[in-house]
Amino acid sequence: MTGHLLEVENLSVRFHSRGKIVDAVRSVSWHLDRGETLAILGESGSGKSVSASAVMGLIDTPPGEILSGSIRFDGRGILGLSAKDQRELNGRRIAMIFQDTLAALNPVHTLGHQISESMTAHGIPAERARTRAIELLARVGIPEPERRFNEYPHQFSGGQRQRVMIAAAIAMEPDVLIADEPTSALDVTVQAGILKLLKELQAENGMGILMITHDLGVVAEIADRVVVMSQGEVVEQGPLAEVLGAPRHAYTRRLLEAVPGRHGYPAARDLSSEALIEIRGLSKYYGVSAGVLKTPTGREIKALDDVSLTLNKGEVLGVVGESGSGKTTLVNTLLGLVDPTKGEVLYRGKSMLGPGNREIARNVQVVFQDPTASLNPRMKVGRIIAEPWAIHRGVLPRAEWPRRVAELLEQVGLRPEHADRYPHQFSGGQRQRIAIARALALKPEVIICDEAVSALDVSIQAQVIQLLKDLRRDHGLSYLFIAHDLPVVRDFADRTIVMQGGRIVESGITAEIFEHPRHPYTQKLLASRPVEERMRGHITEPAE
Amino acid sequence: MSIFRMAGLLCGVAIGSVVATSAFAQDDANAITIVTPYAFDNIDACNSSSEVGLVVRENVVEALTHLNPESGKPEPRLATSWEQVEPTVWRIKLREGVTYFDGSAFDAEAVSRSIERMFNPKLDCLNRGKLFANIRLTPKVVDSHTIDISTEKPQPLMPIFMSFLTIESPKTDFDAMTSTPVGTGPFAIPQRNAGDAIVLVRQDKYWGEAPAVSKATYVRRDESALRAAMVEVGEADIGLNIAIQDATNPETDPGYLNGETTRLRFSFEGPLADIRVRKAMNLAIDREALRDGLFNQDYAIATQMFLPRINGYNPDMKPWPYDPEQAKSLIDEAKKDGVDVGAEIPLISRINFYANGQETMEAMIAMWQMVGLNVKLQPMERAQWLKLVNKPYAEPRPAMLIQEQHDNNSGDATFTMHFRYHSTGQQSEFGDPELDRLIDAADAASGDERVKLFQQANAYSAENVVPDVMMFHMVNYMRISDRLEFKPDDVTSTMMELSQIKFRGTN
Amino acid sequence: MRSYFRQRTMQSAISLFGLVVLVFFLARLTGNPTDLLLPVDTPLAVREEFAARHGFDQPMLVQFGRYLLDLLQFDFGESLRDGRPALQMVLQAFPTTLLLSFWAMLISLVIAIVTGSIAAWRPGGVFDRIASLISLAGASIPNFWIAIVGVLVFSVWLRALPTSGTGTPWHWIMPVTVLFVRPCGVLTQVVRSSMIDALASPYVKTARARGVRSRVVIFGHALRNAMLPVVTVAGDQAAGMVNGAVIAETVFGFPGIGKLMIDSIMFRDFAVIQAAVMVTAVAIFVLNILIDLAYALLDPRVRHG
Amino acid sequence: MSDMTHPTAAAKPPREHALAEAFLMLWRDKFAFLSACFLLLVVIAALFGPSLLPDQALQMNLRGRNAPPFELERGWLYILGADNMGRSLLARLVIGSRYTLMIAGSAVVLALVVGTILGLIAGYRQGRIATIILRGADILMSFPSLLLALIVLFVLAPSVGNVVLVLALSRVPVYLRTCRAEVLEIRERQFVKAAKVLGASHARIVFLHILPNVVPTLMTLATLEFAAVMLSESSLSFLGLGVQAPAVTWGLMVADGRGYLASAWWLSFWPGVAISLTAISANLMANWIRTATDPAQRWRLEKRTRA
């Protein structure tokens, strides 16, 4: 019997889903002590959250099935507790927070109610729970806690909701806080705040934190020890410095290798000054409406405010901004999905906007963020890629389509026979490759990458960026590369533009922006991601 | 307001209303409930020749004469005697000492006003449309209890007409229908709003013998099974129009001729223009099998369109025999002469016309099929069917059979004969000079001569014209509670005198 | 809120006008009331006189114009059958149907919510199977059949309930039953499936992670969210109640609007048909507003959206 | 981890395999399996019954009126008894299945097609056309279906086709609204945006991108509606506005037999059972389809397929 606070030993869990049996985790063991932070690092499908769910008794059987293993908390076996005993534990001794705060909070109850509930569920009288809840709201940094106690989840921002979730979780001063990707959906600046809050709270009450994440940056920021998981197994675990500094397992090494922003800036190239896309004074205002029927209120939101930029031939132009910065509106306007309030968009000197300019628009293609959503689930890959030719008749004779589809698939690193499959049969990274193949079908000069790698795991991210680089080299493409995060841009973009509140706040050569940010916002953005710096502290030298 | 409080409030309202409607309850041993399929939308006295008569006729508003249900002869009611003083004028003596429920006196003025009101063009009086469309009655008060009624042409049937002249109170609105008719009858309708249940209450001031029933409530239920069930469980005392299959016990579920006679009318077109085909179609029908199979022995096989009690009924006529062989040979004959006997003949039936109507049509079609005729059922909704029934007919008129039902409750054949068999009749399909002559002569005659001429016309039509496939004199069933003593008769379908109802035993 | 009502009313007014036009002309396609109201043997002259008295001899557009003018003065015309004002007849019949529908809906909802929730707790379990089968059966039996069998069993054989009519609360049991069986079956299915979704949602997981009791998880967290689709379907079912009520009212002799409507349709009593359709449409309009309000009550996002 | 691995379902099941798997999944859910068997039986009856029993259902035998069920002396055809004209109820059920299925099926298909097209338009093209369509649906919703039935019956004569028309018309708004709601959601999806960016025409977006994604929902709805339409048809018959003899449907049989419930219950009992069983089967099948096509629920049907 060991003295660990929480200990998982040899846990194997199996799920019956989607027509097959998935061994979600196999023989997973780890432990957590009071006052320490353990990070479980893994990419999607690695099974990193499963053991935590098992701790909380959240694995429904069926479809789940616990094959073997044990979980001990405070020396007591807690796997397979009765529902009543599990309830005693949940919330009171072990608490948990989740990634998608909008879904994880009940939309029809006030946040105050939901915080109080974690106390009333454990026998605290309602009145006391309320007082404590308001204290907690204040503690996690929600202004005007008295008033906001009675508000609903949708009235809070994502960061605030995560703070509220934390408030509810620490209400009973638990011994363990499990945080399942708590910051992944948040903007970087907000992320930093949440991590800071967690560290403070841990310092205050000495709880153990189990941080489940895919993000090396978060791990580097907060963890004492790291468990690295891949495909349901623990591949490596140890103290942070050891794992990051001297990874023993090849997977860990690959993971570290793939982290963006570690490879220096793109070599300064001789950029042509042949402007492909010119945006001049582009603005888009939205009237604000309210109520069930969206009655206009007369107020206006400036989604884009006098934005001008130029994309030259062969160039990669990074556009970075957090949510609300106007980057999405910028893309939609470029693609003709939204009419600008004023300003113009020129392609080789001709206006791209308006219905008559389909042929011009052909030269500008797009790859969207979510490859799952951007491919029609009921079309075969071959048809998806060939669709541009079906729309633009005359570009390619129909007889040529299969051959060209095969070519394109090979160009993006897939195989010709994949043309006969449906998108759901591919992984996320493969789907993004399909989307890229579709974008290439019309041989465009410009590809707009609208957060094209944001939804992908880091290792996949690196591969897709490499593909984009290769394509630029082979086809002389130019990219307008939109991202919410600076590191991705760092080793890919020749020039970078930083947007905030619909305006361009800073632009310049990428290296310049990173090394000498002038605008306070850029500085803040960089400061929020001290990851690279911190990681550099841990990582001695990338292993060959 | 929370949704729960709102629901609570609605619950309260709902419970309150249920309790409120249950507040009235009556416990009178001599009160009865009659359940009918009829809506009784408008029970004004001048509609008394329809099923409204079930409620008001002779119960609330009395007529001048009353037809004997067996002989069909007029007997005194509000009129004590009558005579034809001139060919076009009848003088009528009225009963004295009769008062209305509302206190007004019954006199010649009241009769005169009632007749004038029936002819008031502002009112949709069914009695006027049904009986007096072509006969204008002009009343003239002679003295307080004597009145002359004159017509343009001699009117031998006046005493029969008088049985439809229900005389309502002179206080009745002259220009509007009423939902609370006031008459001289043994029952009165207490003040009610249109749409409320109809309740008849015994009137103590009635001039005649006091009826046993003290109160009668008429309720409506559409389902025959339900009407039967209501009498069975004691919720009602009389259930009208019970389906044949529910009339299982002859003691409690008596049948009575409802005055209706059914037939299929031929349009004289195409193959049906040939009398041999029409005859063959009659010969091919096994009416007894139909009756026993689909109806029962209470139904009478009809030889003519009205009941035996009507003036002009020819008792010597025999129903068509069932002789498919002869039918076949007639058809062959016609075929040789170039008649297109293979043509598809539509049978226009009316949806929900009478019980088992659809099945009867199907059975008849099967019988015709056996002699090689191709008849096809074409069911129609009432309004659509009506377009084919009445003149002016749309041209060209196709060869077809039309399902029909007719009731002559008046007592005289003319209503039926002229309409259907005279070349000018609104529902006639043919013109036969000899038949026209017979009917015209009968119309002008009176007494035995009239009866004889109508009998001749009927016989002539059946033998030489064959305008239809005669079917049955139809029967209604009612279910009567065993605490009542009541025997329905031929006229019960339009008039049910509550005074005829007695209670069994002492209670 | 005011603009919401204004827009809602505008929309409904347009629909209502369309409905008036449609009903007016389509109803007149179904034949002349002259033929139907008067006996078959009525002479032609009498028919013509009748038609002229009620204006049926006028061109259709003239008739419609007159009707609209009257309507503007809130005059819905009179019943051909008994001369009463059509609106009065409809308003007299309406409460019965409203009450019948109210009880039927209330009982359906209560049963559906309880059964559906329990069934959703263990989908595929024994209770779920049985509840599903019964609710499906309930939704699959012709309701007039239930009505007549109900009378035979409960009134004639068992003598437990009155056959028909109004009066005591006992009289309401069978009609309400006939009316609620189908919506109840449908709603149970909806509650079940939307509860299964709700119980699988992240916020339920969160609540369980907080140690909240199952009962509170089901009724406090999942149910309220699951009610949103239920409210929509319940609204549709309630709006369709008039059609269902026709059967119950016909069999049990309930003087409701369904019965009034079918009688008027059969007799081409146009004024009453039009008034009944309009009153029903207005009721459905009010019902839709109530549903929107219920939505707003249940879901704060709608309230603030 | 690499995205260069082969697609997850690399060994893609060929078509026959998929069918076999579907059958296995059906077999797992015993209720759904029984439903499928019953529906198959009904369909077979509808397809071949009329040619096997051409006359038995119409042949009257006035001596054998209302013959009770479960008596074999009249032959197996009378196992379920005879109706009020002595016709074999079993034969009539078989013959009736054709019209019943035809009416319910055609009404559902007609309403589905019209409702879907209008729903696509109303959902995809906002503005005046959508408003007109939606107001039209409102009107149709508050239009009494009985009046509709009467109008069609009167203007177009009571044929099977017109009963279909009435039933279809009154159900169009259901599909219209569902379809529109789905379209409103799907048109905001990224693959639609992607198609727009490629310059796809409206027709292409609607028919190739949106429609295929709406179809599964509508198919489930249609299966449910099938049962509802069958019941509506019998209600119409009850009120005398439905199919007219000599055509036979189960609804008409129930309606005609209701007068005999006290004396010969089997007249309306068997067709009632047929309607209810078909409706229940259709509903169970709809549930099964919904489960089988929902990745989150599908395991329930697959639990033992590969264990």
Side-chain angles (χ1 to χ4, degrees), chain A residues 337-519:
Chain A
L337 297 170
V338 164
D339 293 327
T341 311
K342 48 181 190 254
E344 53 183 352
V345 179
L346 302 177
Y347 177 80
R348 288 185 181 276
K350 285 183 208 148
S351 176
M352 262 177 73
L353 307 174
N357 300 328
R358 225 165 87 152
E359 286 308 307
I360 296 170
R362 234 174 71 184
N363 290 303
V364 180
Q365 290 298 324
V366 64
V367 177
F368 291 103
Q369 169 175 12
D370 183 352
T372 314
S374 65
L375 303 177
N376 189 338
R378 285 168 201 278
M379 270 193 189
K380 284 184 177 170
V381 167
R383 253 184 95 198
I384 291 176
I385 296 175
E387 192 174 21
W389 305 319
I391 293 166
H392 298 273
R393 304 248 166 221
V395 174
L396 193 68
R398 186 173 275 272
E400 295 281 295
W401 291 5
R403 187 186 56 75
R404 184 83 183 110
V405 165
E407 262 176 43
L408 283 168
L409 280 170
E410 282 183 333
Q411 268 178 29
V412 297
L414 295 169
R415 291 206 308 240
E417 63 265 32
H418 289 165
D420 257 351
R421 298 187 185 148
Y422 286 95
H424 71 86
Q425 293 172 283
F426 295 84
S427 70
Q430 289 173 321
R431 280 180 219 154
Q432 200 59 300
R433 286 166 188 270
I434 295 166
I436 292 171
R438 173 175 59 186
L440 291 174
L442 289 173
K443 298 188 176 164
E445 286 191 289
V446 178
I447 291 184
I448 300 172
C449 298
D450 183 8
E451 302 260 13
V453 297
S454 306
L456 305 174
D457 283 325
V458 259
S459 54
I460 313 291
Q461 228 175 45
Q463 291 168 17
V464 171
I465 288 183
Q466 190 55 49
L467 171 67
L468 292 173
K469 283 179 182 169
D470 295 347
L471 291 170
R472 180 182 64 178
R473 187 191 61 221
D474 299 346
H475 302 277
L477 288 171
S478 311
Y479 297 112
L480 191 64
F481 193 84
I482 318 276
H484 67 279
D485 203 358
L486 275 165
V488 209
V489 176
R490 183 182 153 129
D491 36 62
F492 186 38
D494 300 307
R495 284 191 301 133
T496 299
I497 285 172
V498 181
M499 288 188 71
Q500 187 199 17
R503 304 182 69 98
I504 294 177
V505 296
E506 186 161 2
S507 70
I509 305 293
T510 306
E512 277 298 305
I513 299 253
F514 275 77
E515 299 301 328
H516 310 290
R518 289 189 307 275
H519 195 273

Side-chain angles (χ1 to χ4, degrees), chain A residues 28-33 36-43 48 209-230 233-249 251-253 255-256 535 538-539:
Chain A
V28 163
S29 304
W30 49 258
H31 62 85
L32 173 70
D33 286 321
E36 77 161 347
T37 301
L38 173 71
I40 300 184
L41 176 67
E43 296 186 300
K48 60 184 184 292
I209 293 180
L210 178 66
M211 172 69 66
I212 299 163
T213 182
H214 71 283
D215 190 338
L216 263 168
V218 171
V219 173
E221 174 79 24
I222 199 171
D224 299 313
R225 286 189 302 114
V226 187
V227 172
V228 184
M229 288 192 68
S230 171
E233 286 175 13
V234 174
V235 296
E236 179 161 5
Q237 62 177 310
L240 179 71
E242 246 173 61
V243 173
L244 296 192
R248 290 186 302 275
H249 196 275
Y251 175 76
T252 320
R253 284 201 291 274
L255 210 57
L256 289 170
M535 268 173 59
H538 293 294
I539 303 167

Side-chain angles (χ1 to χ4, degrees), chain C residues 72-253:
Chain C
L72 286 179
Q73 300 156 42
F74 228 68
D75 176 2
F76 284 72
E78 273 123 40
S79 161
L80 279 177
R81 281 176 298 159
D82 65 2
R84 290 157 66 199
L87 188 64
Q88 182 201 328
M89 282 172 86
V90 171
L91 290 181
Q92 200 175 338
F94 193 61
T96 309
T97 307
L98 198 64
L99 217 54
L100 207 55
S101 311
F102 170 78
W103 282 112
M105 265 337 274
L106 189 72
I107 295 172
S108 298
L109 271 172
V110 170
I111 295 181
I113 288 171
V114 174
T115 332
S117 302
I118 301 175
W121 183 240
R122 286 262 173 269
V126 180
F127 185 89
D128 180 34
R129 286 288 165 129
I130 295 174
S132 289
L133 215 55
I134 292 179
S135 66
L136 281 179
S140 312
I141 303 173
N143 46 11
F144 62 86
W145 200 85
I146 301 179
I148 296 171
V149 171
V151 171
L152 290 176
V153 172
F154 292 102
S155 307
V156 180
W157 291 350
L158 302 176
R159 308 262 161 144
L161 291 172
T163 57
S164 56
T166 50
T168 66
W170 298 109
H171 284 97
W172 288 73
I173 293 178
M174 279 200 288
V176 168
T177 308
V178 168
L179 212 52
F180 95 67
V181 168
R182 260 197 87 185
C184 188
V186 174
L187 284 174
T188 306
Q189 297 282 312
V190 177
V191 171
R192 176 184 172 273
S193 70
S194 101
M195 271 302 270
I196 289 177
D197 288 348
L199 285 170
S201 67
Y203 56 81
V204 162
K205 204 164 145 191
T206 315
R208 283 170 67 192
R210 272 193 224 125
V212 178
R213 264 184 307 246
S214 312
R215 194 168 47 83
V216 181
V217 169
I218 296 179
F219 294 104
H221 284 273
L223 185 59
R224 204 160 144 198
N225 284 283
M227 278 308 282
L228 294 172
V230 177
V231 165
T232 312
V233 176
D236 282 354
Q237 293 287 332
M241 275 277 174
V242 172
N243 276 334
V246 172
I247 306 278
E249 289 168 5
T250 304
V251 175
F252 295 107

Side-chain angles (χ1 to χ4, degrees), chain C residues 2 7 17 44 47 53 70-71 74 87 125 132 137 157 179 255 269 271 277 280-281 296:
Chain C
R2 224 182 31 232
Q7 189 163 350
F17 182 75
L44 199 60
R47 282 175 201 278
R53 190 159 52 249
D70 287 347
L71 213 53
F74 228 68
L87 188 64
S132 289
W157 291 350
L179 212 52
D269 199 344
V277 169
T280 317

Side-chain angles (χ1 to χ4, degrees), chain B residues 335-357:
Chain B
K335 193 177 180 182
K336 276 187 203 117
D337 293 347
V339 177
D340 181 14
V341 295
E344 184 182 281
I345 304 166
L347 194 173
I348 311 297
S349 71
R350 205 177 110 186
I351 295 166
N352 292 344
F353 204 1
Y354 43 79
N356 287 348

Side-chain angles (χ1 to χ4, degrees), chain B residues 52-123:
Chain B
V52 167
L54 268 175
V55 178
V56 297
R57 208 166 144 199
E58 309 298 16
N59 290 328
V60 178
V61 283
E62 290 177 294
L64 293 177
T65 60
H66 182 77
L67 298 184
N68 183 306
E70 267 136 53
S71 65
K73 294 271 179 294
E75 292 168 358
R77 187 59 59 111
L78 284 180
T80 48
S81 64
W82 49 87
E83 57 175 333
Q84 199 165 11
V85 290
E86 278 171 47
T88 60
V89 179
W90 284 77
R91 173 155 299 172
I92 297 150
K93 280 289 202 196
L94 302 176
R95 192 173 296 276
E96 299 193 28
V98 174
T99 51
Y100 285 97
F101 176 59
D102 61 10
S104 6
F106 170 74
D107 56 17
E109 280 300 337
V111 175
S112 165
R113 186 175 183 280
S114 175
I115 292 171
E116 291 298 354
R117 182 171 179 270
M118 183 177 72
F119 284 101
N120 180 355
K122 286 183 192 152
L123 301 184

